[in-house]
Amino acid sequence: MAEENKQFTFENPEYKKTYWHTCSHIMAQAVKRLWPEVKLAIGPAIDEGWYYDMDAPFSFTLEHLEKIEAEMRKICKEKLKLERFELPRAEALKLMEEKNEPFKVELINDLPEDATISFYKQGEFTDLCAGPHLDSTGRVKGNAIKLTACNAAYWRGDSNRETLQRIYGIAFPKKDELDAYLAKIEEAKKRDHNKLGRELEYFTTVDYIGQGLPILLPKGARTIQLLQRWIEDTEQARGYQLTKTPLMAKRDLYKISGHWDHYLDGMFILGDPHDETKECYALRPMTCPFQYQVFLNRARSYRELPMRLGETSTLFRNEDSGEMHGLIRVRQFTISEGHLILRPDQLEEEFKGCLDLANYCLETLGLKEDCTFRFSQWDPANPGNKYEGTAEQWELAQSTMAKILEDLGVTYEIGIDEAAFYGPKLDIQCKNVFGKEDTLITIQIDMLLAKKFGMEYVDADGQKKTPYIIHRTSMGCYERTLALLLEKYAGALPTWMSPEQVRILPITDRTNDYAYDLREVLAKQGFRVEVDSRNEKIGKKIREATMEKVPYMLVVGDRDMENKTVSIRHRSGEDLGAMSLDAFTAMLKEEVDTKAIK
């Protein structure tokens, strides 16, 4: 009986989605009651609540949202029954035309000829919808509804179409659950890298440079440099060879790889892509076809495999403007990209090595607990449009990866139609503070592209064979990782990757020289140190260093200068007392060398 009751609680993901979908209809009904002239587009449930896209002759404000919430509460109290019905195409079009809902008319016209066209009715309100829904608006608790935001959104994600307004909402079965959620969101806002990263001066953006093209300020540039050096050294220790390849290439390269056919809309093109009489270049959205040229540079033997190639790659992808978000989704970014060229019998061992490297990176960064695994597969219903290869080739690649994941004991979800166009992949997904999930690291099996590029090796039997390829990242996108780290640690990055590790705070002018001597000693040992010698009270200096998330503050006064000691404060507020400089550097060195998270 208890299990049956859980079906109608938020413990059941499907019930939660149905609950939120019903809320989207209640919100749309409230809007139509208040402003009948508003036109409705789509209103799905999402990971956190729901949204509804609308075309209104005015801009929704906080005051409008409050009115909508009040009307939604009324609709919940009315306990309106939700009734599903179907109509033939002509009648469905007639109904939406009579209601003057042009976006719904367009949606109906785009449905396949044999599609079932269904609607849901609640009171005077009817909406085109596949469902499912709750049976009554009374199932929704009106005092546990909150409309959280309103943003611009292009109709069908097309920047050439109408600009609509997207209202977001959230609801829970109980008021205290809503309160807890809103408190969590307030904390998330404080940790949002878009806010923290700018306040702490890690990055900025400039309108006339462009969306998705952030400027890394000295702090951000230093942290990414530290991460990059660590990754490159780690990969070298694991047998990777470093490459450096061009940022662009002629379309000929992308035609061989298949990116020209499958990824053209996501690329930045230099020239006319449709004029074959003139050279046309594109900025690279990936590094794979460039790195293959290293293998192709000369004839290869089976003894040279696996060949592990790694590169710190700057890439360019023409993301939709509506998708841009701080450092998490940008148009120019840098990743720890690599390609392993190998014999088929080496596939499982090398895949295991890639996963081990990814796990090591995530654990060192402290992000492992925030990640999940997704086995991204092709969609057999969409082979000719998005994917290269035959069904048999995909079955081989996916069954091979499934066996490897089973052997390695990886727990994963399956993502249909999430594969690369040339093969399945294991995506390591990480959520930001708002719960939005993005891919951080990916490991892909590719049994197709080597043949397209004519890549061969001479096997032990003297025969030429086509290698397999693993596409992988070890830490993923540096900008995205920095964003997640700023959010994870609320700006207080672990000491080993902090752009400034120590700030020396002289109490009086008499100790300035001693402070600068200390900085020289620490800097020679490789630590990143600054001196705040301003003529300010020491309390203000400590507060500012703490707010700037500097891990350690060395407060030096006359007694420290006389005793050759330093008085140490941690950014957490802990007073570590006075100690010798040698004792402090030994403590700091151990924390940095072990990449401790504290």
Side-chain angles (χ1 to χ4, degrees):
M1 189 68 178
E3 287 300 316
E4 288 182 15
N5 290 337
K6 283 184 180 180
Q7 292 180 17
F8 302 103
T9 71
F10 273 26
E11 290 183 46
N12 177 1
E14 289 305 312
Y15 178 80
K16 181 163 63 173
K17 184 177 179 181
T18 301
Y19 192 98
W20 284 338
H21 194 184
T22 302
C23 288
S24 79
H25 277 225
I26 294 173
M27 186 178 79
Q29 182 178 16
V31 170
K32 293 294 284 187
R33 281 185 177 183
L34 294 166
W35 303 284
E37 69 274 20
V38 171
K39 307 292 183 271
L40 303 178
I42 57 172
I46 54 177
D47 289 344
E48 298 280 341
W50 72 88
Y51 70 78
Y52 214 117
D53 288 346
M54 305 179 182
D55 187 11
F58 55 86
S59 296
F60 287 109
T61 64
L62 180 60
E63 194 174 311
H64 289 107
L65 299 190
E66 289 172 352
K67 288 181 179 178
I68 298 168
E69 282 180 17
E71 192 63 35
M72 289 178 72
R73 287 191 285 272
K74 290 180 185 177
I75 294 170
C76 293
K77 286 181 180 179
E78 291 172 18
K79 299 182 180 180
L80 302 174
K81 185 178 179 181
L82 278 89
E83 301 173 285
R84 184 181 188 274
F85 64 93
E86 298 174 7
L87 290 176
R89 181 179 297 270
E91 292 182 34
L93 287 169
K94 183 171 182 285
L95 176 62
M96 289 296 100
E97 286 167 354
E98 287 173 352
K99 289 184 173 292
N100 195 18
E101 295 289 0
F103 301 105
K104 304 292 184 181
V105 170
E106 182 176 329
L107 290 171
I108 295 170
N109 279 324
D110 287 348
L111 290 172
E113 285 299 323
D114 58 349
T116 298
I117 304 175
S118 60
F119 296 83
Y120 278 82
K121 183 179 186 301
Q122 57 198 56
E124 82 289 352
F125 179 74
T126 299
D127 201 356
L128 173 72
C129 186
H133 284 284
L134 304 179
D135 61 350
S136 167
T137 62
R139 300 286 185 188
V140 175
K141 303 303 179 186
N143 66 344
I145 292 172
K146 182 65 179 175
L147 302 186
T148 55
C150 183
N151 300 326
Y154 294 121
W155 171 230
R156 296 190 147 180
D158 185 346
S159 59
N160 296 314
R161 297 295 305 273
E162 297 88 340
T163 300
L164 307 175
Q165 296 182 72
R166 176 172 295 177
I167 301 178
Y168 289 91
I170 191 76
F172 292 89
K174 297 178 181 177
K175 176 72 162 55
D176 58 352
E177 292 174 337
L178 173 65
D179 292 340
Y181 172 83
L182 294 176
K184 184 183 79 170
I185 292 300
E186 284 306 308
E187 177 61 25
K189 288 178 181 177
K190 295 175 186 175
R191 289 174 173 261
D192 182 4
H193 83 277
N194 236 335
K195 175 178 181 290
L196 268 181
R198 296 171 195 273
E199 290 176 351
L200 295 174
E201 297 188 355
Y202 277 82
F203 77 99
T204 188
T205 51
V206 180
D207 286 344
Y208 52 77
I209 288 178
Q211 230 183 342
L213 299 170
I215 304 292
L216 290 174
L217 299 173
K219 285 184 181 179
R222 178 67 70 202
T223 298
I224 284 183
Q225 181 192 55
L226 293 164
L227 293 173
Q228 179 181 328
R229 287 173 173 173
W230 166 57
I231 290 294
E232 289 180 351
D233 289 346
T234 298
E235 289 183 345
Q236 181 176 325
R238 292 182 179 232
Y240 282 80
Q241 301 177 68
L242 185 67
T243 67
K244 189 173 179 62
T245 56
L247 298 181
M248 68 177 77
K250 295 194 294 185
R251 71 180 136 210
D252 308 61
L253 179 75
Y254 304 114
K255 282 191 172 184
I256 297 171
S257 68
H259 289 90
W260 199 256
D261 293 328
H262 295 279
Y263 204 75
L264 184 61
D265 289 344
M267 297 165 69
F268 287 102
I269 308 299
L270 287 74
D272 184 348
H274 307 296
D275 186 349
E276 297 288 342
T277 66
K278 295 179 182 177
E279 280 193 340
C280 180
Y281 287 76
L283 298 176
R284 64 180 184 187
M286 82 314 292
T287 312
C288 44
F290 296 85
Q291 282 197 323
Y292 298 164
Q293 309 311 310
V294 177
F295 178 89
L296 289 164
N297 186 50
R298 61 174 171 81
R300 302 290 177 179
S301 162
Y302 73 97
R303 298 181 187 276
E304 297 178 75
L305 304 182
M307 177 183 283
R308 305 185 189 104
L309 303 175
E311 181 166 337
T312 303
S313 302
T314 298
L315 305 179
F316 306 86
R317 294 184 183 173
N318 192 9
E319 301 276 8
D320 289 337
S321 59
E323 294 293 318
M324 301 297 103
H325 177 60
L327 296 178
I328 285 183
R329 192 167 289 276
V330 291
R331 285 175 169 152
Q332 175 183 311
F333 56 95
T334 304
I335 68 172
S336 55
E337 193 163 16
H339 297 88
L340 291 79
I341 303 164
L342 42 95
R343 305 190 309 266
D345 63 286
Q346 297 171 322
L347 181 60
E348 181 161 354
E349 189 63 25
E350 290 303 310
F351 192 99
K352 180 181 177 181
C354 292
L355 183 56
D356 181 72
L357 174 58
N359 281 327
Y360 163 72
C361 292
L362 290 172
E363 287 165 359
T364 304
L365 295 171
L367 295 174
K368 180 71 182 293
E369 63 187 21
D370 303 318
C371 292
T372 56
F373 295 94
R374 183 181 72 193
F375 182 5
S376 296
Q377 304 180 2
W378 82 320
D379 181 0
N382 187 22
N385 186 27
K386 181 177 177 181
Y387 301 104
E388 296 272 334
T390 64
E392 291 75 19
Q393 288 171 317
W394 275 91
E395 177 56 34
L396 174 61
Q398 291 189 170
S399 61
T400 301
M401 181 177 276
K403 181 182 182 302
I404 292 172
L405 295 178
E406 182 181 351
D407 291 346
L408 297 178
V410 177
T411 302
Y412 57 81
E413 294 181 352
I414 291 177
I416 300 297
D417 205 26
E418 296 289 348
F421 69 81
Y422 47 76
K425 53 184 178 154
L426 179 67
D427 289 323
I428 302 180
Q429 305 291 106
C430 194
K431 290 184 177 180
N432 67 15
V433 286
F434 295 105
K436 172 71 169 62
E437 187 177 270
D438 284 290
T439 301
L440 187 57
I441 295 173
T442 185
I443 307 171
Q444 307 170 7
I445 290 179
D446 175 8
M447 300 179 178
L448 298 176
L449 292 190
K451 190 170 187 64
K452 296 184 74 167
F453 277 91
M455 298 166 70
E456 295 179 330
Y457 65 93
V458 178
D459 208 351
D461 60 5
Q463 299 297 309
K464 288 185 177 182
K465 304 284 180 63
T466 301
Y468 285 172
I469 298 171
I470 295 176
H471 306 240
R472 46 100 279 181
T473 53
S474 50
M475 190 197 68
C477 170
Y478 285 92
E479 290 84 355
R480 183 172 291 178
T481 299
L482 176 58
L484 293 169
L485 290 169
L486 287 170
E487 295 182 349
K488 172 80 174 180
Y489 299 109
L493 298 181
T495 303
W496 71 271
M497 68 174 81
S498 289
E500 181 183 351
Q501 296 169 314
V502 180
R503 186 172 297 179
I504 304 172
L505 310 176
I507 295 176
T508 66
D509 290 346
R510 293 188 302 276
T511 55
N512 279 349
D513 289 344
Y514 178 55
Y516 282 104
D517 289 342
L518 291 172
R519 183 181 73 170
E520 185 176 353
V521 172
L522 288 166
K524 283 182 178 178
Q525 294 185 51
F527 300 116
R528 296 178 292 282
V529 191
E530 299 294 338
V531 175
D532 184 352
S533 59
R534 295 174 301 157
N535 186 21
E536 296 283 359
K537 292 181 178 180
I538 192 64
K540 181 177 181 180
K541 292 182 180 181
I542 291 171
R543 282 194 304 276
E544 290 183 359
T546 302
M547 289 176 65
E548 292 175 36
K549 315 294 184 180
V550 179
Y552 289 98
M553 290 152 267
L554 306 188
V555 180
V556 292
D558 293 338
R559 184 177 298 177
D560 293 296
M561 185 168 59
E562 292 168 10
N563 298 332
K564 301 300 180 186
T565 59
V566 289
S567 297
I568 304 163
R569 292 180 64 93
H570 191 262
R571 62 188 168 197
S572 65
E574 183 182 4
D575 188 342
L576 301 178
M579 64 176 73
S580 69
L581 184 61
D582 286 345
F584 171 68
T585 54
M587 179 187 75
L588 185 59
K589 185 175 188 303
E590 181 182 9
E591 184 175 336
V592 171
D593 288 350
T594 60
K595 294 183 170 53
I597 296 172
K598 65 178 185 178

